[in-house]
Amino acid sequence: MKAVVFQGPFDVAVQEVEDPRVEKPLDAVVRVTTANICGSDLHPYEGRAPLDEGMVMGHENTGIVEEVGSAVERIRVGDRVSVPFNIGCGTCRNCTAGSTQACLRANPSGKPTAGYGYPQMGPYRGGQAELLRVPWADFNLLRLPPGDEHEQDFAMLSDIFPTGYHGAELAGVVPGSTVVVQGAGPVGLMAAHSAVLRGAARVFVVDKEADRLELARQLGAEPLDFSDTDPVEAVMDATDGAGVDCGIEAVGYQAHDAAGHEHPEMTLDRLVAVVRSTGRIGVVGVYVPEDPGASDPNAQQGRIAFDYGTVFDKNLTLGHGQCPVKRYNRHLRDLIVAGRATPGAITSHELPLADAPRAYEQFDKRVDGWTKVLLHPQAA
């Protein structure tokens, strides 16, 4: 089959690789109809997270079941499915508690997390390919309505829509909340969309990319361009000095200022400054235990020096971590089917698999208009 293969920093290629197959009785093989490029894919692409040469990329996958193992009972050949980016066994202590993002069995390394085509998340090849092997298929796969309706929207169910919603959940967004989202990348936009869906009164989104801020506005949020305004002052002025109820961090360890200089603590400090006393902050931007490419020695060791003293002083609640996709994806699927949620609205490009190297390059450079790229492996 054809697949997007990691060859080294800033180097991915579409190559012929061995087809996946059913290896265990609970496996399924999915023919991929849509595989997204995620902002998290840029971490290994830029050489900021270790990935083995030859790994097939891609953890946001939608498709049709082509083959199932002998012990698979719920999922059938021909089912249209969404594939959560994190892999759960369904039976370990964490999975049975609903924390499928921290499965204790799926990653052979023993690390409590597993996923497709991503650093340190196990040997599972990704789905930017024509076919994908899915372990524990009955547990992991979410069945979708047949046909091709809502394909753009359903493509967001593997990761970014549940992750954005998880950020809103961690931040405690309820009807009437005021919310600040740091970052208007795909996850930040989904966090804003989720906050609106949950009934927030006002949602501010902070970024510097005009195309992404315009999408935030279209989703019902109030965009703030930090390249020409102080976002802390702007939020405090807009709330008459009270601050907001909730903050969502959707940038992560490569946060940078308008000049392009990295400050991994920047977005956290901004949220600590604007969230009111006793408010909540949800962190769904990626932070890592080690970042050898960081300019700051502490950040190289995963130590982020942010304003924790004020967190304590203001009695703020911090929630953080990888999203347990299965906790939310069924409900979010139904919101899409009902016409209430439209996460596919942020799609900027739909391309055949052959265009993946150019898409990675454009997306990584934040070229205007390259917001969310969907790859279609079956397209000519």
Side-chain angles (χ1 to χ4, degrees):
M1 69 171 183
K2 291 183 173 61
V4 178
V5 176
F6 179 76
Q7 300 189 124
F10 303 102
D11 186 5
V12 297
V14 178
Q15 298 178 350
E16 292 281 347
V17 303
E18 183 181 0
D19 287 358
R21 57 184 176 82
V22 169
E23 299 177 14
K24 297 182 179 180
L26 293 172
D27 287 354
V29 174
V30 173
R31 182 164 294 278
V32 179
T33 54
T34 302
N36 308 343
I37 298 178
C38 180
S40 295
D41 290 328
L42 299 182
H43 300 151
Y45 179 75
E46 295 175 351
R48 295 290 291 272
L51 187 63
D52 292 338
E53 183 178 337
M55 173 60 83
V56 177
M57 304 282 283
H59 58 268
E60 298 186 18
N61 308 304
T62 307
I64 307 295
V65 176
E66 182 147 297
E67 184 182 0
V68 297
S70 60
V72 175
E73 298 179 343
R74 184 178 66 87
I75 295 296
R76 293 183 170 88
V77 171
D79 282 349
R80 185 188 186 196
V81 292
S82 173
V83 186
F85 80 91
N86 32 42
I87 300 170
C89 71
T91 57
C92 73
R93 176 176 181 170
N94 286 347
C95 283
T96 55
S99 294
T100 54
Q101 83 282 19
C103 179
L104 297 170
R105 294 179 59 209
N107 194 331
S109 74
K111 184 178 180 182
T113 184
Y116 302 95
Y118 199 74
Q120 301 178 342
M121 291 182 69
Y124 306 100
R125 295 194 302 180
Q128 289 170 10
E130 294 176 312
L131 298 165
L132 174 70
R133 171 183 167 248
V134 177
W136 296 288
D138 272 339
F139 180 72
N140 285 297
L141 291 175
L142 174 70
R143 189 182 285 116
L144 303 172
D148 57 11
E149 190 177 9
H150 303 299
E151 183 76 9
Q152 286 186 350
D153 296 313
F154 290 151
M156 309 304 170
L157 285 174
S158 291
D159 181 355
I160 65 167
F161 191 17
T163 295
Y165 197 89
H166 186 52
E169 175 74 13
L170 292 172
V173 178
V174 296
S177 294
T178 50
V179 186
V180 167
V181 179
Q182 286 286 335
V187 169
L189 291 170
M190 290 298 93
H193 190 34
S194 298
V196 171
L197 287 169
R198 291 166 69 105
R202 298 182 76 178
V203 181
F204 303 93
V205 175
V206 180
D207 205 290
K208 67 178 180 65
E209 304 298 335
D211 56 335
R212 298 181 176 196
L213 289 170
E214 173 56 23
L215 284 171
R217 185 190 65 77
Q218 293 175 18
L219 290 170
E222 301 174 49
L224 295 174
D225 185 345
F226 71 78
S227 68
D228 62 15
T229 189
D230 184 325
V232 172
E233 290 183 4
V235 170
M236 297 307 289
D237 289 345
T239 56
D240 296 322
V244 294
D245 303 308
C246 313
I248 302 172
E249 203 287 335
V251 179
Y253 71 106
Q254 290 181 261
H256 54 270
D257 60 26
H261 303 299
E262 284 193 9
H263 304 276
E265 79 292 341
M266 182 179 73
T267 51
L268 292 169
D269 281 347
R270 286 176 178 169
L271 289 173
V272 171
V274 300
V275 175
R276 65 170 177 79
S277 174
T278 73
R280 298 175 64 97
I281 297 172
V283 182
V284 289
V286 173
Y287 289 84
V288 293
E290 295 181 4
D291 178 22
S295 58
D296 177 80
N298 286 322
Q300 291 175 5
Q301 302 176 52
R303 298 177 179 273
I304 310 301
F306 75 107
D307 190 7
Y308 182 74
T310 301
V311 172
F312 187 89
D313 190 56
K314 292 173 72 173
N315 291 277
L316 300 178
T317 298
L318 289 178
H320 46 258
Q322 190 186 108
C323 171
V325 171
K326 280 178 56 66
R327 190 178 299 174
Y328 308 112
N329 63 353
R330 188 179 305 273
H331 305 295
L332 299 180
R333 175 201 63 190
D334 293 346
L335 285 174
I336 291 169
V337 172
R340 298 286 305 281
T342 55
I346 70 168
T347 302
S348 61
H349 294 76
E350 295 189 79
L351 302 171
L353 202 65
D355 288 349
R358 180 173 69 94
Y360 265 91
E361 180 182 13
Q362 299 295 95
F363 186 47
D364 181 58
K365 292 179 178 177
R366 312 298 195 270
V367 173
D368 186 63
W370 288 77
T371 308
K372 186 63 176 177
V373 179
L374 277 55
L375 300 173
H376 298 296
Q378 310 308 320

